Amino acid sequence: MGKNVATRDAYGEALLEVGAAYPEVVVLDADLSKSTKTAKFAERYPERFFNMGIAEQNLMGTAAGLAAAGKIPFASTFAIFATGRAFEQIRNSIAYPHLNVKIAATHAGLTVGEDGGSHQATEDIAIMRAIPNLTVLVPADGVETKKAVWAAVRHQGPVYLRLGRPAVPVIFGEDYDFALGRAAVLREGDKVALLATGIMVSEALKAADLLAGEGIEASVINVSTIKPLDVETVVTFARRCGAVVTAEEHNILGGLGGAVAEALAENCPVPMVRVGVRDVFGRSGTPEELLQAYGLTADSIAGAARAVVRRKG
Amino acid sequence: MDEETRKYLEEKARTLRRHIIRMLAEAGSGHPGGSLSAADIVTALYFRVLRLDPRNPAWPERDRFVLSKGHAAPALYAALAERGFFPVEDLWGLRKLSSHLQGHPDMRKTPGVEASTGSLGQGLAMANGMALAGKLDRKDYRVYALIGDGEMEEGEIWEAAMAASHYRLDNLTVFLDYNGLQIDGPTSQVMSTEPVEEKWRSFRWNVIPIDGHDFGQILTAIEQAREHLGQPTMIVARTIKGKGVSFMENAVGWHGNAPTREQAQKALAELGGEPVSE
């Protein structure tokens, strides 16, 4: 895999792999197949690809029906439309009957970029996380995306897979050991635990380098399965470090920060800072400009870590 | 249709209606009007049309029936019980905590229920998915769905309507339970849906208007749908909400109110058969 890869591109490639291995895999899109990268599957397996047009409710409902008849449907559109427009179809047609639909939503978060706030889903994790039966995955890079797609196919039940638009650094080797439901410890340190998800994982690793230069040894944990949350690992590192920073390309309400805060409040309350979008909408700009403007950077994570370490008793 | 079949179906439909009244009275809540208007269509499907095996509800070759207007669940449950998917006694547990019979159909709890429905507009899309899967697997099972006329106000219905004709789902037959009433009043007053037949025709469906309480017309329409290739079929079935119980017929108030025990006894007396003693 190259140096920088968009997770949506890795998804498109992974679909070809699982499509070859599982004849029951079918793919549905809502007129965005070139952007969600399902077009490659459509070209390779035209009879197993269904374009539903600009109709996300029917996209999810049809996927549910296909799953009820034994197929493994991947339903793709942008995160804002999947979780916003089709929320209730995901809840009632897919999750409530525990149907085997994989919702692969691309263009999540601020890094949609120039299309602006109307298209930047920064609440999708919160929405999906509140639905029973649904597994929520947020891969950090292209390698993890491919492994997450394979894990989603092998998992019996509905999955929400959150993917991004721009090319992002590849941080894992092909030997990266991904397991659904397990947070991955990428670096160990005792002063502060940096829990990150999605594109913020590479920023957290950079932040750990910055902090190490100042004598603050940080653990970095990739929480790619937001639900079910790996509470054991989260609590273990909160206890060990005594301070936690979460980082996500999502509203600080209800996403990774929310999930970790809930787990720690009940099991191991420690000083904590959430790095994320601070309950505001996004706007137009390049992805880099937006990440800078909204404080989703290694510098912000390092700053939060310094502040939270000072709060330790 | 011969006279014997007609008598058999009319008797079954009466049994289903009696079950519906008793279930709702026992539950103390639920939707009699739309259950009774759909009862003849459901009877025809379950006792003359659908290829099913009650001992093997997951049989891959079975026909599928999706009750998109899920609030008519009592009609579906009564048919499933009479077909032997579960004991008739289960019906009296409707809507109770210990029962598998939920207020709206739940495919994970009740044997024979093909789709979890009740949030209006969603069942037709699910039926589309089942029909697409049937085409993909070159199976000869057929998919049936029942939608309400109020339900047609949901946008997802028209998304699904477009997709079904786009994908030429001629293995899909849908009934419109056109009883003309919804919760807040006559459909024509709440939100005009006319011209209904023209709408479905313009969405490139094969449209067959019938009397939804005439078994001859129901079965003939299903046969015509089976023979019609290249398009899904919409059977626009004119029905009477509350059909079979005089004081419930065409009465808006009986959409979502269960009968009291006295009202239930009166309804059961009208429907004939043995009186129910409690």
Side-chain angles (χ1 to χ4, degrees), chain A residues 35-269:
Chain A
S35 301
T36 62
K37 303 299 175 184
T38 61
K40 285 181 180 174
F41 184 97
E43 202 176 307
R44 178 84 59 88
Y45 303 106
E47 75 288 355
R48 286 154 64 189
F49 175 83
F50 304 106
N51 201 327
M52 305 314 295
I54 309 165
E56 295 78 14
Q57 302 175 70
N58 188 50
L59 168 78
M60 296 304 171
T62 305
L66 282 157
K71 300 297 173 194
I72 307 176
F74 278 76
S76 279
T77 179
F78 290 178
I80 188 77
F81 309 130
T83 67
R85 181 71 62 95
F87 162 75
E88 207 219 327
Q89 282 72 22
I90 293 177
R91 185 204 186 272
N92 273 328
S93 292
I94 294 173
Y96 178 58
H98 202 273
L99 286 169
N100 200 19
V101 176
K102 319 303 171 185
I103 301 147
T106 67
H107 295 64
L110 295 177
T111 51
V112 166
E114 293 83 346
D115 276 353
S118 59
H119 284 53
Q120 295 162 356
T122 50
E123 61 287 270
D124 57 315
I125 297 174
I127 297 168
M128 293 294 101
R129 198 168 73 79
I131 302 176
N133 289 344
L134 198 58
T135 295
V136 180
L137 301 179
V138 186
D141 74 350
V143 170
E144 189 169 44
T145 299
K146 281 195 163 188
K147 290 175 187 282
V149 169
W150 276 98
V153 171
R154 291 182 182 127
H155 174 77
Q156 177 65 37
V159 174
Y160 178 70
L161 187 63
R162 186 190 210 229
L163 304 166
R165 172 176 174 252
V168 292
V170 173
I171 52 182
F172 299 122
E174 295 297 335
D175 59 346
Y176 171 67
D177 183 22
F178 173 86
L180 201 152
R182 192 179 68 205
V185 181
L186 306 182
R187 175 172 176 149
E188 299 205 32
D190 290 335
K191 285 276 168 29
V192 61
L194 310 179
L195 307 178
T197 196
I199 63 167
M200 296 307 287
V201 175
S202 63
E203 295 301 308
L205 287 167
K206 283 187 230 162
D209 283 339
L210 293 172
L211 292 165
E214 304 163 19
I216 301 174
E217 291 301 331
S219 290
V220 178
I221 294 149
N222 172 24
V223 189
S224 47
T225 306
I226 304 278
K227 187 179 175 178
L229 184 69
D230 182 353
V231 174
E232 194 184 331
T233 300
V234 169
V235 169
T236 298
F237 278 83
R239 192 164 286 141
R240 174 169 159 187
C241 300
V244 165
V245 173
T246 57
E248 63 196 308
E249 187 197 3
H250 184 272
N251 197 328
I252 54 169
L253 307 182
L256 173 68
V260 169
E262 289 161 17
L264 293 184
E266 286 189 344
N267 297 289
C268 177

Side-chain angles (χ1 to χ4, degrees), chain A residues 244-309:
Chain A
V244 165
V245 173
T246 57
E248 63 196 308
E249 187 197 3
H250 184 272
N251 197 328
I252 54 169
L253 307 182
L256 173 68
V260 169
E262 289 161 17
L264 293 184
E266 286 189 344
N267 297 289
C268 177
V270 296
M272 178 180 167
V273 174
R274 293 164 297 160
V275 172
V277 181
R278 304 199 68 78
D279 201 21
V280 291
F281 289 112
R283 56 178 298 168
S284 290
T286 66
E288 298 73 22
E289 287 170 337
L290 290 165
L291 293 174
Q292 199 73 43
Y294 287 81
L296 303 185
T297 61
D299 282 339
S300 303
I301 297 171
R306 286 182 207 108
V308 80
V309 165

Side-chain angles (χ1 to χ4, degrees), chain A residues 51 58 71 88-89 93 97, chain B residues 108 119 122 137 156 159 167:
Chain A
N51 201 327
N58 188 50
K71 300 297 173 194
E88 207 219 327
Q89 282 72 22
S93 292
Chain B
R108 292 294 173 207
S119 173
Q122 299 194 26
D137 293 337
E156 191 183 356
E159 294 185 1
Y167 284 103

